[in-house]
Amino acid sequence: MLTLQKMGIAVDKSHHEVAISQHEIDMQYCDALTMADNVMTYRLIVKQVAEKYGVYATFMPKPVFGINGSGMHVHQSLFKGGRNAFFDEKGMYHLSKLALNFLAGLLKYAPEFTAVTSQWVNSYKRLVPGYEAPVYLSWARRNRSDLIRMPMYEVGKEALLGLRYVLQTQPVIPTFVSVYYWQPVYKVLRKGSNHRNR
């Protein structure tokens, strides 16, 4: 973490995860292109620091059978005029119509998106119920087994509201590029769509 901060990559928080020797480092939000660069740098730094101390760091989705695997989740928000366009004080769960349409687009096109984010066979070995892996094509506010989890709303932190789309193998550049240029989602945003909560 200190090395990342020295390199100018803002770290929001870090903590130990469920599995043995598993950790999470959350980087501060920024635009998609900058985040893609930051994540690539983060992966390289983690591996180099681990090697320096005689251990091996892996980002493999399911390196060990029977314990929680590893994944990368991306919190997504759309901003318009400096305000979070996903937030609506009077909306269901404080979500705007735009946010619900965006969420519906992610669910509708999840199979196509998964072809970009989860190319390895090992990605699917992680998809086992009971290990906090996204095994359901649905969304929820607390359930870690859903593909999309909406972070809980906090008064005064409206700008942090986003959608958590879990990625399996972390092919960072294709993932962020596809998020940026993913036309089907934007079509759903423009036309609107039905949404369901699990």
Side-chain angles (χ1 to χ4, degrees):
M1 234 174 74
L2 297 175
T3 305
L4 290 170
Q5 290 171 332
K6 284 178 187 175
M7 295 183 70
I9 297 175
V11 175
D12 187 36
K13 58 183 171 267
S14 70
H15 57 87
H16 192 282
E17 268 294 353
V18 178
I20 299 165
S21 298
Q22 189 180 53
H23 304 274
E24 178 175 321
I25 297 176
D26 297 344
M27 290 181 281
Q28 193 169 359
Y29 69 91
C30 58
D31 65 276
L33 186 59
T34 303
M35 183 58 77
D37 288 340
N38 288 350
V39 172
M40 292 300 290
T41 303
Y42 154 82
R43 289 171 52 133
L44 179 65
I45 294 301
V46 166
K47 285 184 170 286
Q48 287 182 339
V49 170
E51 186 178 350
K52 178 181 174 182
Y53 290 98
V55 294
Y56 182 79
T58 181
F59 294 92
M60 191 175 184
K62 192 73 169 180
V64 181
F65 176 78
I67 64 172
N68 285 35
S70 300
M72 180 176 86
H73 52 262
V74 177
H75 291 261
Q76 302 171 56
S77 297
L78 294 176
F79 284 80
K80 185 174 183 180
R83 295 184 57 98
N84 189 342
F86 282 176
F87 177 74
D88 182 350
E89 188 175 355
K90 297 178 181 177
M92 181 177 66
Y93 306 124
H94 301 287
L95 290 173
S96 67
K97 184 178 178 185
L98 180 71
L100 294 171
N101 290 338
F102 189 89
L103 189 150
L106 288 175
L107 289 174
K108 181 175 181 178
Y109 293 100
E112 292 86 349
F113 198 60
T114 301
V116 175
T117 64
S118 306
Q119 315 100 325
W120 301 346
V121 171
N122 190 263
S123 299
Y124 301 95
K125 291 182 178 181
R126 179 173 174 249
L127 301 180
V128 179
Y131 293 96
E132 296 188 9
V135 295
Y136 302 114
L137 182 57
S138 54
W139 71 280
R141 299 175 75 207
R142 292 179 185 252
N143 190 347
R144 293 178 182 272
S145 296
D146 292 274
L147 179 64
I148 298 173
R149 187 164 58 92
M150 182 189 71
M152 300 299 286
Y153 164 71
E154 295 180 47
V155 177
K157 293 191 175 181
E158 294 83 2
L160 299 179
L161 182 70
L163 303 172
R164 178 183 173 267
Y165 189 98
V166 182
L167 309 173
Q168 297 302 314
T169 60
Q170 307 94 11
V172 179
I173 298 300
T175 297
F176 283 95
V177 167
S178 62
V179 166
Y180 191 76
Y181 291 106
W182 201 22
Q183 292 305 312
V185 170
Y186 300 118
K187 288 178 184 175
V188 171
L189 283 174
R190 287 195 295 269
K191 292 179 183 176
S193 179
N194 292 329
H195 54 274
R196 277 188 242 171
N197 183 11
R198 182 172 182 282

